Structure formats: structure tokens, C-alpha cells
Amino acid sequence: MRTGHFRKPITIQPGRIDRDRVVVSVSDAAEVLLRDWPKPKSEMRLAAIKACLAVMRGEKPAKVARQAFIVAARDARILLEHI
């Protein structure tokens, strides 16, 4: 399984305000999307999950999953924009 590291980490705040999470790879992103996502029925979340799976299968580069994760995190209002 390919996990693909991101060139630049993504910082999110999926839960408590004092608990930031740094996502550095596709496997990190997939874990957050599957376990800790605040909007489980979001279409953006589903698209990000599909992008992560495509990277893990070797069909897409890690930057595709990174971008889909950022879009989903913005949609869920958990992306910390300073990064």
C-alpha cells in the first residue's frame, strides 16, 4: 500500500479548540476522514476519501489527495489557514 507523504503538512482542528492535528501523509488524512471527521455526510469528505484510496492504489499522486483533503477540511470548517 502506498501512503504518500505530503510536501507540506496540513493543520486542522477536528475537535476541541486546543487540539490541533498535523496531517503529513495520505494515510494520516484517511485516518482523520474515517475516524474524526465532524461532518460525516459531507460530499467533500467522500471525495477526499476516494482521492486517498486512489493514491493508496497507486493511481494518483499524493498531491491529489492533499488538495481534496484541504477542500473537505475547508468545507467542514476545521482547516487552520495559517499553514
Side-chain angles (χ1 to χ4, degrees):
M1 175 188 341
R2 289 180 53 180
T3 57
H5 279 77
F6 296 151
R7 281 187 344 137
K8 189 174 180 183
I10 303 164
T11 305
I12 59 170
Q13 202 171 67
R16 290 180 34 191
I17 199 160
D18 62 341
R19 301 283 181 183
D20 296 353
R21 172 121 188 225
V22 179
V23 178
V24 298
S25 68
V26 175
S27 60
D28 283 353
E31 181 179 337
V32 171
L33 288 160
L34 293 172
R35 293 186 181 176
D36 300 324
W37 208 252
K39 291 176 69 176
K41 296 185 185 213
S42 165
E43 289 194 27
M44 300 299 171
R45 173 185 172 260
L46 182 58
I49 291 170
K50 288 179 180 178
C52 289
L53 287 172
V55 173
M56 290 178 183
R57 288 188 204 117
E59 300 167 358
K60 304 273 183 180
K63 66 182 179 181
V64 171
R66 184 181 188 278
Q67 187 58 40
F69 186 83
I70 288 171
V71 169
R74 266 195 198 112
D75 178 62
R77 299 178 185 234
I78 62 170
L79 181 66
L80 296 180
E81 294 285 349
H82 65 276
I83 295 230

